[in-house]
Amino acid sequence: MPDRVDTTHAATPTPGDDAPAEQQAPASRAGRNLPAALAVGLGLGLSLIAILLFVPKVFIGVAGVGVAVATWEVAKRLREADVLVPRIPLLVGGQAVFWLGWPWGARGVVGAFAATALVCMVWRLFDHGLNTAPKNFLRDTAITVFTLTWIPLLAAFSTLLLLEPDGNLRVLTFMILVVCSDVGGYVAGVLFGRHPMVPAISPKKSWEGFCGSLVFSVIGGLLTVTLLLEANSMIGVVLGVGLVVVATCGDLIESQIKRELGIKDMGTMLPGHGGIMDRLDSMLPSAFVSWLVLSALL
């Protein structure tokens, strides 16, 4: 899929926004290696479209791997910052949260989430043995549950969405709209971006870029909901607006987390994008909102 890049003119660099100059590849005005980002995004996008159209259940496996890698990336970065999230139960339980939506629907997701949260709390309580009290227990367990919610729980709604009637087309619809939001934000931000949206969090995100995201996403919603789902076009408007809002918030949430951790990207797996989590930050809340809107209105 096309790269989602912050969408205003560059401002004063911060740890969460720009790496040292000697570490950077040639970048676009949006702060990324645009050719590499486009090549990787296009390859990922075409692969996912083919999977959803021809072998839709395989999407669950692909997404599950992405969830595992993203969880590992975040846990690694947190532990580098001395936040001791329990990685083993977080990874294993996160996969349970994601996968158990397939056989048991929302009940499987909720049950696995609650069980994993409890195991993580107990694990962190005793990870230094029975004779040593844990340090920063409340902080670490709270961040662990946050990570469990942020990645596996939100991602599980893509599985629930896939299992709905014409679920592969519903997943494809929400992914197209997120891409529309990214492209619209990039184009409008680079061409017209003058007014920062939240400069304290993401100096390169503009109100002009946000408006571009709205325009592209609403148009994309009208077309996809009408042509792919054969539903009322107004549902596409609601979905388009909703996804722009939550995708932007998802992006800002990750920007703030990276700012606090003093890093540019969560990982390095995807050239021009960063890590897997750097591609999922807007997708994860969008999966939930897509499931909510399409389940309620279709």
Side-chain angles (χ1 to χ4, degrees):
M1 290 178 291
D3 182 33
R4 177 188 44 71
V5 191
D6 286 338
T7 53
T8 61
H9 297 302
T12 303
T14 61
D17 295 304
D18 295 287
E22 64 272 15
Q23 297 178 4
Q24 291 195 36
S28 69
R29 288 175 63 192
R32 292 287 183 182
N33 183 349
L34 190 56
L38 288 175
V40 171
L42 184 61
L44 289 173
L46 292 176
S47 299
L48 289 174
I49 289 171
I51 288 171
L52 286 169
L53 291 179
F54 300 110
V55 281
K57 290 297 191 297
V58 173
F59 173 82
I60 299 177
V62 173
V65 171
V67 167
V69 174
T71 305
W72 174 263
E73 288 175 344
V74 173
K76 180 175 181 293
R77 289 298 200 177
L78 289 170
R79 291 181 73 91
E80 289 171 356
D82 201 32
V83 179
L84 302 182
V85 296
R87 286 180 290 188
I88 294 175
L90 183 60
L91 285 166
V92 175
Q95 288 297 290
V97 171
F98 181 80
W99 281 93
L100 291 185
W102 188 355
W104 292 304
R107 288 180 296 177
V109 172
V110 172
F113 175 83
T116 301
L118 180 59
V119 170
C120 286
M121 293 176 194
V122 175
W123 187 290
R124 181 67 184 89
L125 185 65
F126 297 116
D127 63 355
H128 284 78
L130 299 179
N131 297 319
T132 304
K135 295 181 180 179
N136 299 315
F137 172 78
L138 181 59
R139 181 201 66 179
D140 292 351
T141 52
I143 293 176
T144 299
V145 174
F146 168 81
T147 304
L148 183 66
T149 303
W150 188 28
I151 307 175
L153 180 61
L154 290 179
F157 287 96
S158 65
T159 299
L160 299 180
L161 190 63
L162 186 69
L163 298 176
E164 298 282 343
D166 295 323
N168 61 328
L169 299 181
R170 296 187 184 204
V171 173
L172 185 58
T173 293
F174 108 75
M175 293 178 66
I176 289 173
L177 294 194
V178 173
V179 173
C180 287
S181 176
D182 291 348
V183 173
Y186 174 79
V187 171
V190 167
L191 294 179
F192 309 112
R194 294 292 184 276
H195 301 89
M197 180 183 290
V198 278
I201 297 175
S202 182
K204 293 187 291 184
K205 188 170 291 295
S206 69
W207 284 109
E208 290 83 358
F210 181 77
C211 291
S213 293
L214 277 175
V215 171
F216 274 57
S217 191
V218 168
I219 293 173
L222 286 168
L223 293 175
T224 52
V225 170
T226 301
L227 299 178
L228 287 182
L229 302 181
E230 299 181 345
N232 190 316
S233 60
M234 290 300 101
I235 297 175
V237 174
V238 173
L239 187 61
V241 173
L243 290 197
V244 168
V245 172
V246 296
T248 301
C249 289
D251 185 22
L252 292 174
I253 287 169
E254 195 199 23
S255 292
Q256 179 60 28
I257 292 171
K258 291 190 291 187
R259 180 179 295 274
E260 292 191 19
L261 295 177
I263 59 175
K264 175 178 173 58
D265 294 315
M266 286 294 182
T268 58
M269 183 173 291
L270 302 177
H273 295 261
I276 296 293
M277 188 60 212
D278 297 298
R279 289 306 307 141
L280 294 182
D281 56 356
S282 58
M283 286 284 185
L284 292 170
S286 297
F288 164 68
V289 170
S290 298
W291 172 82
L292 188 65
V293 170
L294 295 178
S295 297
L297 299 181
L298 286 186

